[in-house]
Structures are given as structure tokens and as C-alpha cells.
Amino acid sequence: MRSKAAEPADRDTGDVFGTVSEERFVLSRRYAMGAGGVRGLLITVLGEYVRPTRQAAPTSAFIDVLGRLGVDEWACRQALMRASKDEWLLSKREGRYTWWRLSPALGRYLEHGAERIFGFTATQPRWDRRWLQVLARVPETNRAARHLLRTRMQWMSFGNPAPGIWVTTRTDRIKEAELALDEAGVREQAQIFLCEHVGGGDLPVLVRQAWNLDEISQAYEEFVAEFSSPSSSDPIVRVTRMVHAWRVLSRLDPALPVELLPEGWIGIRAAKLFQRQRARWEPAATREWARISREAR
């Protein structure tokens, strides 16, 4: 690869996150990466039903919906309280009901998340054939930093073709890479480059060294098998499950340019299925959420 020193990305870096620091959202394991568990499901519910209306919802609505997804009442209440403690949700007591609304910071975060999830096509639509490369070696004795850096870089679509080398076709993620290096405590020893591939081995070989495409393909196969037909007669269950699964896939898949993917990449078919089924199923789920929320009024 031919390299030059990285330059600042040309993108809006306005005050998206309000008074809550951007790092807490970008790098938070609990929210930005916590797709699994009760908190992950809560974020999916907030993003799918509360975000579009920006209206407060009662505790009973969350208990009802998460209960349909197999979460008991105690775990639901705990997730709401933790979200409130972290300033993601704001609560208000009215009579015997507690109502929850998004904090301004979480509202903005969920809007950005919605753009990513609902606009995710399993490929990178435009690529100027440049790569963002990070050289960062962490001592084997510092296992915590090694794990943290790997987790953060993978979440940001970086692949790891060789020890200490991270690459991505997303050249606008310089700032995020710097934050990850800062958190791992290795920024001063790292180097960041913008690169072009000009020769050497075949790029498909590099891609398979950097990313586990077989694992990603298998995840897409499972998604297509599960959601090609309704997975539940309950509209809110089938939509929430599908959106949650797609949210996980959008984190797992680096969404590489088409020219770097195997021919007939299943991710493209899965993305079309997601868009088609959500358009069919979402209206009924939204009506069901509205009904559940109204019952507390």
C-alpha cells in the first residue's frame, strides 16, 4: 500500500450528543456495543417505537413488550433504572405510573443509529479505493488493553489481517480510531495512514485474512431463514426481533465495497429482505405499541 499521513475527515462534527460526552456513546460497551441482553433489547425498543414519536412511554409498556420477548419484569425495571442512572432516559411520576422519555443525548444517538441500521445495505456504496490503516501494537502482557482495542476496532469495521495492523475501507473513521487508541492507552505509540493498494497479493486474500466472511455469511443465512416468513403472530414481537437481529448484523458486518466481496454476497439479499419485511410488518407493530402506551393514560 502507498501511504500518506491521515488528514481530518470532512464531515459534520457538531454538538450531536448535548451535555453527555460523545465518547460515552461512541465507545460505551453498554449501549453502542451492547446489542445482547436486556439492555440491548431495551435500546432496540426505544429506537423502534419511542424514537419516532418522541413521546413518553409508561413502565407498563416496556414490561409488556419485553415480557413478550422473554424478559421478566424485574430485569426490565432494572434496565430502565440503569438507563436513567446513565442519563439516557428521563422519568416522571404521574399518579401510580412512571413515564419515560429519551434524554436529548440518547435521542440524537438513536437517530444516528436509525440512519445506520435502516440504511444498512451490507455493502459500502461508494469507495475511492483508499484504505484507512492503523498500526498499533499492544504488549501481550496488557490483555485488558488488547481486548478493548480489538473490540472497539472491530465495532468500527476495522479488520485485522496481521498482528498490530488494522485496516478499513471507511476512511472517514479517523476520529473514532483515535478515540479507541486513547481508551486503550496506546495512541502515542500508534500510527494512522490513508493508503492505496498498488500491488502485491490479491486483495480477496487480504480481505479474508482481515475479516471472517464465513462467519458473517452464516449469520446472514440464519437471518434469511428466520425472517423470510413471519416469526410470530404478534406484530410487535416479529418486528422487534427482526430489527434487533439486523442491528446485530450491522455491527458484525464491515459492509465492504462490492468489488471486495464474494460474488452473489448473501448480505445484499438479506438487506433487501429486511427492508421488504419491515415495510410490511412495521405499521401493525407501531399500532400495537400505541395501544399499549395508551392503556396507562
Side-chain angles (χ1 to χ4, degrees):
M1 292 186 177
R2 185 174 63 225
S3 306
K4 65 178 181 178
E7 299 171 354
D10 292 330
R11 60 196 182 104
D12 182 12
T13 57
D15 185 13
V16 174
F17 298 91
T19 59
V20 179
S21 72
E22 179 178 358
E23 289 84 351
R24 286 178 65 183
F25 281 89
V26 172
L27 297 176
S28 168
R29 273 188 175 177
R30 183 175 295 175
Y31 289 94
M33 303 186 65
V38 179
R39 287 188 292 263
L41 280 174
L42 175 60
I43 287 296
T44 298
V45 169
L46 290 169
E48 182 67 9
Y49 305 111
V50 180
R51 175 194 58 83
T53 64
R54 293 300 178 96
Q55 293 182 357
T59 303
S60 58
F62 294 103
I63 292 174
D64 186 332
V65 170
L66 291 179
R68 301 183 194 192
L69 297 165
V71 178
D72 64 39
E73 179 176 340
W74 180 87
C76 176
R77 291 183 183 276
Q78 285 294 307
L80 289 170
M81 292 303 296
R82 288 174 181 172
S84 176
K85 182 179 179 181
D86 284 342
E87 301 177 28
W88 311 146
L89 292 178
L90 306 175
S91 63
K92 182 179 180 180
R93 185 82 178 179
E94 291 184 1
R96 58 194 183 91
Y97 293 103
T98 298
W99 294 81
W100 302 88
R101 64 182 178 87
L102 306 179
S103 69
L106 183 59
R108 295 185 183 100
Y109 172 76
L110 290 177
E111 288 295 340
H112 281 257
E115 291 175 8
R116 173 173 179 147
I117 296 167
F118 301 133
F120 184 72
T121 61
T123 62
Q124 184 176 335
R126 292 177 299 278
W127 184 41
D128 62 4
R129 307 193 68 81
R130 294 192 302 168
W131 298 72
L132 177 61
Q133 181 185 69
V134 176
L135 307 182
R137 284 190 174 275
V138 183
E140 292 187 7
T141 54
N142 193 347
R143 293 185 178 180
R146 288 170 64 88
H147 175 75
L148 188 147
L149 183 63
R150 175 176 292 275
T151 302
R152 298 298 190 255
M153 298 299 277
Q154 289 177 342
W155 173 61
M156 292 185 296
S157 301
F158 279 84
N160 186 208
I165 300 175
W166 296 92
V167 295
T168 180
T169 58
R170 308 281 175 160
T171 57
D172 62 343
R173 295 189 176 169
I174 296 172
K175 182 177 180 181
E176 288 89 341
E178 290 174 338
L179 290 173
L181 293 168
D182 274 335
E183 192 181 23
V186 296
R187 182 172 177 180
E188 294 301 319
Q189 295 78 41
Q191 301 291 338
I192 302 175
F193 301 94
L194 287 177
C195 315
E196 296 177 6
H197 183 269
V198 297
D202 292 334
L203 276 178
V205 175
L206 171 69
V207 168
R208 289 207 171 264
Q209 290 172 339
W211 293 279
N212 190 339
L213 293 187
D214 291 337
E215 177 187 4
I216 297 168
S217 178
Q218 179 61 36
Y220 277 127
E221 293 279 4
E222 294 171 0
F223 180 89
V224 170
E226 182 172 359
F227 298 108
S228 289
S229 58
S231 60
S232 171
S233 59
D234 185 331
I236 213 163
V237 169
R238 64 173 175 253
V239 168
T240 306
R241 282 178 177 169
M242 184 179 68
V243 171
H244 189 70
W246 193 246
R247 177 180 167 224
V248 173
L249 279 168
S250 73
R251 297 299 186 193
L252 176 66
D253 184 3
L256 297 169
V258 173
E259 52 263 55
L260 298 180
L261 291 169
E263 185 177 355
W265 179 238
I266 188 175
I268 298 173
R269 178 155 57 95
K272 292 178 179 178
L273 173 68
F274 172 76
Q275 296 296 343
R276 184 168 64 250
Q277 299 294 54
R278 185 169 183 269
R280 291 174 177 172
W281 299 346
E282 190 271 338
T286 298
R287 289 193 297 270
E288 178 67 358
W289 173 262
R291 183 190 68 79
I292 295 168
S293 298
R294 282 197 306 268
E295 288 183 351
R297 295 186 181 276

